[in-house]
């Protein structure tokens, strides 16, 4: 090979060798980088399918499958697509969700009655109108078949708002009374969730409480000075209210209303005690210490907060204000809000449920209590007949008493609201009950 050719070959060999080395180094660097990236690279999260990307029929199906009114309200406020579908089929969607959320036909009837009784809170309402409403309610209980889709949209909207309030206060009631249940046996495992039958008892008690407050609102008696109206309403006493309304229900269901009454009344009473303690801390003088003969309206209201009897009276007025007032009280963020609500936010409403519950209906008074031993009232199963708390407290006797003073400690934990399984697991049913004596008080 000529020297010149040999030189050219050497040059190309040198270049090839250098290029090969260079490529090898770059490949090694990339290999190390890829290896490093495999170590530190985060997992790739694929973007979830968005609701608006779903087919219209799937969106509609999801909206119709929502189980409760609060979730429905949240999703139509959060999603423009859901709001559009809801606007097109509002009545049917709302009726479907409410029917599912209200659980049973019985609760639906009680919810409708509570909603329809609101117009009775009027100064022009007459005694015959209240009697007609109660008579209609009694008849509906015998033949009513739930069909919310036939209701007008305004009725459904009002019912939805009322049920939202009932759901809200039920959460507080459930937690308060559940914590108060005596634990004779250490619970095993997780806390038992509220059952369908327990929820039915609580819902219907709150709705019947609301119906009573609306139907027997005595603000008209306080504000009206017409002799004919005053005399008409003076004839409606506690016995009348018990005969007209409480006699519709078996005694253990009246006891459910009494549990709700005790819970709400004690909340308000505690609120007034809190106000009294605050006044005493700030050195507010009691009425007898001032020597004044006349007081302003605000001074009179504050003076009444220092008196236990007046505290009871004002708690009764708050009790008669119904579910919405209770929700506002439970939603109060601090003492100042609760104070202002109790002092200035309540209405002049007095349904007097407390007095009515101490008055047995005529059916109870004239029943033959001497055959009670021949007709024992046993617990069979949850959802049918008397609940286990009622039969346990009465030792399976046919007891028609309700709201007895001896069962007041039991009503603190709403003993007639709970299922057999819950009370059995906590050892309550193995204990000796507080027994109300036969006869009436």
């Amino acid at each position: 090979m000529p020297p010149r050719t040999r030189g050219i070959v050497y040059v190309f060999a040198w270049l090839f060798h250098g290029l090969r080395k260079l490529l090898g180094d770059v490949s090694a660097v990339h290999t190390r980088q890829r290896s490093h990236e495999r170590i530190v690279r985060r997992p790739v999260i694929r973007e979830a399918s968005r609701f608006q990307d779903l087919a219209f029929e799937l969106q509609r199906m999801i909206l119709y499958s929502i189980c409760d009114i609060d979730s429905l309200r949240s999703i139509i406020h959060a999603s423009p697509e859901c709001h559009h579908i809801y606007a097109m089929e509002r009545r049917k969607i709302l009726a479907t969700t409410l029917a599912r959320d209200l659980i049973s036909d019985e609760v639906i009837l009680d919810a409708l009655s509570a909603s329809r009784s609101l117009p009775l809170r009027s100064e022009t309402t007459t005694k015959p109108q209240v009697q007609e409403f109660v008579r209609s309610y009694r008849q509906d209980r015998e033949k009513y078949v739930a069909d919310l889709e036939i209701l007008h949209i305004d009725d459904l909207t009002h019912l939805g708002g009322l049920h939202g309030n009932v759901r809200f206060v039920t959460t507080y009631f459930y937690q308060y009374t559940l914590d108060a249940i005596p634990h004779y046996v250490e619970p095993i495992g997780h806390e038992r969730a509220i059952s369908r039958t327990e929820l039915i008892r609580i819902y219907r008690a709150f709705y019947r409480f609301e119906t009573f407050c609306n139907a027997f609102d005595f603000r008209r008696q306080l504000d009206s000075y017409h002799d004919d109206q005053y005399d008409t309403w003076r004839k409606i006493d506690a016995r009348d209210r018990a005969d007209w309304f409480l006699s519709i229900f078996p005694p253990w269901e009246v006891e459910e209303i009494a549990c709700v009454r005790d819970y709400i009344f004690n909340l308000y009473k505690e609120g007034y005690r809190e106000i009294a303690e605050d006044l005493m801390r700030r050195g507010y003088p009691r009425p007898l210490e001032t020597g004044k003969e006349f007081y302003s309206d605000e001074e009179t209201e504050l003076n009444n907060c220092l008196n236990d009897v007046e505290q009871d009276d004002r708690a009764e007025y708050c009790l008669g204000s119904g579910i919405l007032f209770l929700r506002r009280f439970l939603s109060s963020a601090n003492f100042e809000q609760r104070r202002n609500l109790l002092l200035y936010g309540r209405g002049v409403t007095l349904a007097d449920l407390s007095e009515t519950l101490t008055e047995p209906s005529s059916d109870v008074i004239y029943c033959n209590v001497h055959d009670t031993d021949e007709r024992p009232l046993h617990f069979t199963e949850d959802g049918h007949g008397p609940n286990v708390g009622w039969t346990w407290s009465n030792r399976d006797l046919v007891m028609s008493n309700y709201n007895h003073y001896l069962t007041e400690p039991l009503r603190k934990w709403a003993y007639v609201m709970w299922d057999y399984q819950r009370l059995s697991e906590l050892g309550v049913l193995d204990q000796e009950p507080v027994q109300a004596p036969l006869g009436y008080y």
Side-chain angles (χ1 to χ4, degrees), residues 376-395:
L377 196 63
H378 297 294
F379 166 77
T380 54
E381 62 176 328
D382 287 307
H384 296 86
N387 56 67
V388 69
W390 178 260
T391 57
W392 165 77
S393 67
N394 293 317
R395 295 188 173 89

Side-chain angles (χ1 to χ4, degrees), residues 335-350:
F335 167 71
E336 286 301 320
Q337 290 185 9
R338 291 191 297 273
R339 176 184 182 275
N340 292 336
L341 186 65
L342 292 177
L343 293 180
Y344 314 116
R346 68 168 194 276
V348 284
T349 299
L350 184 62

Side-chain angles (χ1 to χ4, degrees), residues 48-73:
S49 297
R50 294 176 297 178
F51 183 84
Q52 57 264 37
D53 295 334
L54 299 176
F56 174 81
E57 285 303 320
L58 285 177
Q59 295 177 359
R60 184 174 176 272
M61 189 183 304
I62 290 172
L63 208 55
Y64 270 96
S65 65
I66 293 175
C67 295
D68 61 83
I69 196 70
D70 292 338
S71 299
L72 176 64
R73 186 180 294 111

